[in-house]
Amino acid sequence: MNCPNCNELNRASSRFCIHCGSSLMAARGPDEGAGTEEQPTAAFGRELSLAELQAEVERLSLAVNEIRSILSRQGSQPAAAPDPRTVRTEPQVARATRSTGAATAEAPPAQAREMPWDRINVDWELILGGNWLARVGIVAVIIGVAFFLRLAFDNNWIGEGGRVALGIGGGLGLLALAEYLRNRYLIYAQTLTGGGIALLYLSIFAAFSLYGFLNIYLATGLLFLISATAALSALRYNAVALAVIGILGAFTAPFVLGAFGDRPEPLEVGGLAGIDTMAYVVVVDLAVLALSTVRNWRWFTLLALLGSLASFGLWYEDSGGDVSLVVAHGGLTAIFLIFVGATTLFHFIWRRAPQAFDQSLMIVNAAAYFAISFGLLWEELRPWMGTFSVLMALFYAGIAALAIRRSRENFHLSLTAVGLTLVFLTIAIPVQLGGPWVSVAWATEGAVLFWLSFTLRRAQLRLAGSIVFVLSALWLLAVDTPEALREDLTPFYNVYLASFAIVIAAFLVSANRVRRNGRHLTEYESELFPALLVATTLFVTVALFVQVDGPWIAVTWAIEALVLVWVSVRFGVSELRVAGVAVFAAAAVRLLAFDTDVDLIEFRLVFNLRMMAFAAVVAALYLAAVLVRWDRRENATLPTRYLAPMLLVGANFLTLWALSAECIAAVDSGIVNVSGDAAFYTKSLGLSLIWAAYASVGLAVGIVWRWRTVRLGSLGLLAVPILKLFLFDSLALEQGFRVAAFLSLGVLLLVLGFLYQRYSGLIRGFLFEEEREAGA
């Protein structure tokens, strides 16, 4: 186990760190030395040997002396070092200190855990020279021997039987030497044991797969025996390094011996070709399962998983398609199930809470199996892949239920299994359904997750629901919408309308729950409610775009925007007001960019679809402005004093645009019987008169109802035709049109001047008067 102070590796049976002297009792967690806290070797039916006890006492004595030297440098006066034979537990050290007359408060044993890293002397030379050099050395020796044997094999220096005998003899010799040196050189003995196990793996695999000396049953039994020996040795020494050496040796053997290169045809057992290598991998993994059940050595499990997947991939590629689908996927499934146990059984049995690394191993195992299975099965079993995904979801749902039922400490394990369940269900939807029902199913799943998140008070479920909602939105917009546009749909009576409606309903229901349960949201979810509303508005807008065509798109968008503004006023949802303004802007862009042009051959003045669309949007803008002015609640995002004028300006701009377009179309379509230059002069004169007349109407309304803003806007608009008259029309128009333009505009201005004189009492000082509130 690692020291909590200096993070150096110690034996699981140690009570104090051999490097800094810190107590290791408080650092014993659920993952190291499970069930060995009181008697580290009780699981093997023996007490510590005398040599081991002497070594432990020596380490503790050195640790105490180190603590004393550190404290002396700080000015403390610790007691004399206790007799090493009395060093057993932390309370005994404290009692020995008090017996010498030193104050315990001055230098309690726990103080050593608070020493900074730079004040602790670590014998790096001993660690590197005594531990890792030996480990790296044994790996190098194994690889060197393997390549030497390969060279000897290629040159026929050693026969096939001799090769196997040399490997087995070398492995057993290393194990025997390790046993002989175990009491005196524990770590060195661990290294030798790992090397011996690796050589035995290599030899038995060669005897079975390369030379055919052993049948499938005997080879499997011997490999299992070696795996069991490796597991028991790792447990006996309580050494994760030994377990890692063993697993690296086990998965290196097939590569070094060329099992995935030029070799005879794969072994066939019971009509199943290529089962030899797969059987070898499964047997090794069974040993991994047994060891991981009593020791949660995460890096060991990860290396075993990666080695198994790499071996499977190279084995399948090397087979060239000769291996049947049953053998391939059966072997993959066996690996998957073994590592499901390897990542969960420890927590089930010992009721220990998993850490992030444990959860990551579960996810990696599930993701790898699912992805590889799709690659293997897709071509032949495409109609059943959705069912396969659902079965995966049910499998992990069962694990989640068993975990939480077993112990509350397994809550995070259960939560990880629930997450995998949701992922596989989400994947099953597009695989099995297809079409617009994918977005429907995902949206429904997201709504259920949001409901569960508030019912169970679990923010993680809202995160999962948000991810599913994003997938639903992307599918709806990127897949369903283009498909719908390519089809000739019956407006408001097709499957795509149903899919949009269900998705919109799911988002609205979830948004409502978020708004009602705002007190349960985390600080990262403050924008969740507006995001759901914006998404809903976008879906409605796109749905209307899909269902209708031509100017009707702008009309339906205007109705949608008006409804959004009404709901925002009625229920006080300020976010919908912003959404309504955005939809109004989309409708205006649609009118100006796509619906202004008309068919001049069939054109009818005023009574045409374009004027109807413009009139509908303008009316909706006016009604929205009235609703906003009625609302007495102030909106921080779009205040009433700004929003209403924005809507009114948009309505007047679209009105003037539509009237101008009608004037131009009347001339171009031939309704006004002019041609050539006369047509240009007529359109120019008509535009000037329309703008001036519209400004005059606005000015009159502003005078009668005393709306200062309307009067100022009308005067600004009136300046446009006046400037046009003097700067453009006076030079460009023919004499007759010029006379008509000046006379008509002059008469209009005289009338407006009379109105200002007539109502001068009402508008005196209008530049400084306050604008009358609507409805006053």
Side-chain angles (χ1 to χ4, degrees), residues 557-569 576 580 584 620 624 627:
W557 282 353
I559 297 173
E560 175 196 354
L562 181 60
V563 171
L564 290 173
V565 173
W566 175 80
V567 173
S568 72
V569 173
L576 290 180
F584 268 130
L627 289 173

Side-chain angles (χ1 to χ4, degrees), residues 134-149:
R135 293 169 182 170
V136 174
I138 194 65
V139 173
V141 167
I142 293 172
I143 296 176
V145 169
F147 281 114
F148 168 75
L149 292 176

Side-chain angles (χ1 to χ4, degrees), residues 72-83:
S72 64
R73 289 195 297 269
Q74 292 182 332
S76 304
Q77 298 297 329
D83 187 351

